[in-house]
Amino acid sequence: MNQPLRLALVTAILAAFSAASHAADAPTVTISGFGTAALTATDTDDVEYARFNQAAGVGKSPRPGVDSNFGIQGTAKMNNWLSFTAQGLARKNARDAYGAELSWAFAKFKVSDEISIRVGRIGMPIYMISDFRQVGYANTMIRPAQEVYRQIYGDSYDGVDAMYQHNFGDTTVTAQVGIGKMSARITDDNRVQYKPATTIHIVAENGPFTVRFGRADAKVSVEGSESLDGLLATLRQVGMTNVANDLAITDVDGSFTSLGFTMDYKNFLVQSEYAVRKTDSLVIHDTSSYYTMLGYRFGKVTPYYYYGNIKQDSARSYAGLPGTGPLAALSAGVNSAMKAGLQSTNAVGVRWDFHKSAALKVQIDHIKPRDGAGAFLKAKPGFNDTVNVYAAGIDFVF
């Protein structure tokens, strides 16, 4: 969606809210919000721990930026078939600063009791909890498992989707297909683009059980990466054009396939996902990742444990590159770019629902990198140690 169309949609949403607040026969307007106020720290200053969309993280000194956010959402239901929704989100971002973003801004058309269509900026349904992964109160853990949830940059895309929901006996099936484009910031001047991106999202719910399948395909490009652009230019200058082409990220084919399961049965909680990422570039690595969370609810207190892991399916080095001589450093740069951040996490935590719309969470992650520094930022040379991450926060909704 181009900028004028996007601005027009947002203007229409705001106008609808304004009209709703003044008109005598006003449509239904709903305003809600959510947030997390948290402190996060680790047991080392040799690396920094951060979420996937953040340019800097935390060491030993506790900081609020990693796990804190604030969001507000408004929906104006104009009539039985048309509504407008907008959602704003403030959090620490890829510029190493707090920033606000328009995460949702769409019009929804109800075609029938079972079919609806949305147009605008829509949450991209690539994970089990895509629609509410930023809403800490809606999740048991203090943050989604990073082994899986850092595989795709960006939360929403500009486009259109269609949703079909039908009850088959005691089972409710929801099928969603969409197409659009997305541009997400990786670092300050480094962006990844998906255009176009197509998505399929199928959910089956039966009592306490939910099974979900998702698939996303896109043409992927990375723009503004000085390190990657410099590496590719040098490779071409020394005659390694084939190597440069294998590393390039310009309109390469990429896919992300995931399968998830949840259970909330007689105080037992289970949540698990398995995901596979594939691309035609050796820099956006092919990966397989998964996690499983187990919990038990004792009244208002829920202790839980989760294990997450990620492995790389594509090669971690380029065969045939010179290991000695004047091009050895260039070969090392190529092989470094081909390595995904591999790690596993064992985490324990507890959630206390001390209020009807607020919960206190405490979580400890024990993260073990493999063949490098994992997903940690600003690692000192040679770092490969386990790291403990400590977090405590209050999730709330209103």
Side-chain angles (χ1 to χ4, degrees), residues 57-80:
V58 297
K60 286 185 176 181
S61 298
R63 295 181 182 178
V66 171
D67 291 312
S68 298
N69 67 9
F70 179 79
I72 190 164
Q73 177 176 319
T75 297
K77 185 177 179 181
M78 310 305 294
N79 49 46
N80 289 333

Side-chain angles (χ1 to χ4, degrees), residues 68-103:
S68 298
N69 67 9
F70 179 79
I72 190 164
Q73 177 176 319
T75 297
K77 185 177 179 181
M78 310 305 294
N79 49 46
N80 289 333
W81 59 270
L82 174 63
S83 64
F84 296 96
T85 297
Q87 182 188 93
L89 179 66
R91 58 179 173 173
K92 195 79 173 289
N93 59 32
R95 291 187 182 274
D96 191 19
Y98 289 94
E101 60 193 77
L102 185 65
S103 49

Side-chain angles (χ1 to χ4, degrees), residues 35-198:
T36 297
L39 287 175
T40 309
T42 73
D43 61 355
T44 180
D45 285 325
D46 291 339
V47 293
E48 291 186 1
Y49 177 80
R51 294 202 187 195
F52 79 97
N53 63 302
Q54 297 169 344
V58 297
K60 286 185 176 181
S61 298
R63 295 181 182 178
V66 171
D67 291 312
S68 298
N69 67 9
F70 179 79
I72 190 164
Q73 177 176 319
T75 297
K77 185 177 179 181
M78 310 305 294
N79 49 46
N80 289 333
W81 59 270
L82 174 63
S83 64
F84 296 96
T85 297
Q87 182 188 93
L89 179 66
R91 58 179 173 173
K92 195 79 173 289
N93 59 32
R95 291 187 182 274
D96 191 19
Y98 289 94
E101 60 193 77
L102 185 65
S103 49
W104 294 355
F106 60 82
K108 182 177 180 179
F109 304 89
K110 184 179 179 181
V111 179
S112 69
D113 289 340
E114 296 183 334
I115 301 173
S116 61
I117 297 173
R118 299 185 299 177
V119 180
R121 177 162 294 179
I122 306 162
M124 195 171 183
I126 49 180
Y127 298 113
M128 169 75 75
I129 58 172
S130 289
D131 277 351
F132 53 92
R133 62 170 158 165
Q134 305 298 343
V135 186
Y137 184 80
N139 297 289
T140 303
M141 299 181 289
I142 203 165
R143 74 183 72 87
Q146 296 299 285
E147 284 76 14
V148 172
Y149 278 71
R150 68 182 306 117
Q151 298 307 304
I152 300 295
Y153 282 90
D155 296 338
S156 56
Y157 61 176
D158 298 332
V160 57
D161 72 1
M163 184 179 300
Y164 170 78
Q165 188 174 78
H166 184 77
N167 293 325
F168 297 89
D170 294 332
T171 301
T172 300
V173 176
T174 303
Q176 181 181 354
V177 294
I179 185 169
K181 65 178 182 179
M182 175 169 59
S183 178
R185 194 178 301 277
I186 302 174
T187 59
D188 193 10
D189 295 312
N190 187 353
R191 304 187 72 92
V192 60
Q193 295 197 36
Y194 310 99
K195 52 181 183 180
T198 59

Side-chain angles (χ1 to χ4, degrees), residues 229-249:
D229 291 345
L231 176 62
L232 299 182
T234 302
L235 288 168
R236 292 187 174 104
Q237 287 174 1
V238 300
M240 296 185 180
T241 303
N242 289 338
V243 180
N245 292 340
D246 288 340
L247 300 182
I249 314 175

